Amino acid sequence: MKDRTAIVTGSTSGIGLAVARTLAARGARIVVNGLGRGEGERIAEEIAQVHGVPAAFIGADMSRPDEVSALVEEANDRFGSVDILVNNAGVQHTSPVETFEAHWWDTVIAVNLSSNFHAIRAALPLMRVQGWGRIVNIASAHGLVASVNKAAYVAAKHGVVGLTKVVALETATSPITCNAVCPGWVLTPLVERQIEDIAARDRLSMAEARQRLLFEKQPSGTFVTPEQIGETVAFLCSNAAAEIRGVALPVDGGWTAR
């Protein structure tokens, strides 16, 4: 991936950070993205030092279409290309449908689904001019199946899978591919908060809450690691995956095999 530029949204922690590090290890220039400028700049500096590649932090509020487009434009201006786009930014809110606050619905859809569209819309013309591109959307097992109390998240992630298929078809005769990765439970700050909620609600220890969360959905009983998602993304960006188009690839410990 030497001389390729990769934008990874939501890459100051969790899955996004692991993806950014994995692509950097393969030689890609990295655009780190998130809301915390100080932390984002520190991470970009660390990636540059550890992997010997150019890296920069570009902040953007992924709920704002103009900022998403500006992120892609600034990355192209700074590095001269946008070759890889990994749409990873996400938020979560849980509640039954009848008490699900409208502003949370709008926020989850904006960040988890609409930002993917706006980033792809900005990046795709650049990839067509360059004659090469890889778009990887981080969806979820919840892009393939549903769970209670997650109306907005499940709707958004199903939408990401559908968007992925459309973009894959529209780029099918080109050297540009678009695919989705559908992680199961990954031990990220987002999932840690869900574990804390279970522990508090059911008066469990954190260890007991982790096991309950896992075995309810994930037959392997083991968390997927962010690094495993990073390696999956790197494979989809490789020449070996040039004819993998429009897939929603589960990395979920057997969750969606049931």
Side-chain angles (χ1 to χ4, degrees):
M1 297 181 192
K2 184 175 172 57
D3 297 325
R4 304 290 192 193
T5 300
I7 299 173
V8 185
T9 70
S11 50
T12 55
S13 67
I15 290 172
L17 178 55
V19 170
R21 287 171 170 163
T22 303
L23 297 180
R26 284 161 171 74
R29 300 179 290 253
I30 301 297
V31 174
V32 176
N33 162 261
L35 289 175
R37 175 164 294 280
E39 180 68 3
E41 290 175 344
R42 183 196 66 76
I43 289 168
E45 290 174 6
E46 174 199 287
I47 287 173
Q49 290 173 0
V50 172
H51 299 289
V53 298
F57 172 78
I58 303 176
D61 181 342
M62 302 307 287
S63 69
R64 298 179 59 87
D66 56 338
E67 293 193 27
V68 177
S69 298
L71 163 66
V72 175
E73 292 168 9
E74 185 175 344
N76 186 59
D77 290 344
R78 184 170 298 196
F79 291 124
S81 67
V82 173
D83 306 285
I84 297 167
L85 171 64
V86 183
N87 287 307
N88 170 73
V91 295
Q92 175 65 286
H93 180 73
T94 60
S95 175
V97 170
E98 63 267 31
T99 58
F100 207 104
E101 296 177 21
H103 81 90
W104 270 115
W105 171 273
D106 293 340
T107 298
V108 172
I109 295 297
V111 175
N112 293 28
L113 174 57
S114 297
S115 70
N116 293 21
F117 164 76
H118 294 298
I120 292 169
R121 182 173 178 269
L124 194 51
L126 303 175
M127 293 178 176
R128 289 195 187 280
V129 169
Q130 293 154 198
W132 192 90
R134 294 290 185 267
I135 300 167
V136 182
N137 300 318
I138 306 300
S140 168
H142 281 119
L144 303 171
V145 295
S147 293
V148 298
N149 298 334
K150 296 185 177 182
Y153 190 82
V154 170
K157 293 303 187 179
H158 272 68
V160 168
V161 170
L163 174 63
T164 298
K165 293 178 180 181
V166 171
V167 176
L169 292 174
E170 292 184 0
T171 56
T173 59
S174 77
I176 301 165
T177 68
C178 182
N179 294 290
V181 178
C182 297
W185 290 130
V186 182
L187 198 55
T188 63
L190 197 68
V191 173
E192 282 281 13
R193 285 193 290 274
Q194 293 183 61
I195 293 168
E196 290 168 3
D197 290 343
I198 292 170
R201 183 192 67 209
D202 298 335
R203 298 182 179 180
L204 301 172
S205 69
M206 287 294 287
E208 290 170 329
R210 282 192 185 93
Q211 289 306 303
R212 176 173 294 186
L213 184 82
L214 273 173
F215 281 106
E216 181 184 274
K217 301 286 189 183
Q218 202 145 297
S220 68
T222 302
F223 282 105
V224 179
T225 68
E227 291 72 24
Q228 287 167 337
I229 303 301
E231 293 291 340
T232 302
V233 171
F235 168 69
L236 290 173
C237 293
S238 72
N239 289 331
E243 287 307 317
I244 298 177
R245 299 173 182 267
V247 304
L249 179 60
V251 185
D252 64 2
W255 181 334
T256 57
R258 296 188 186 202

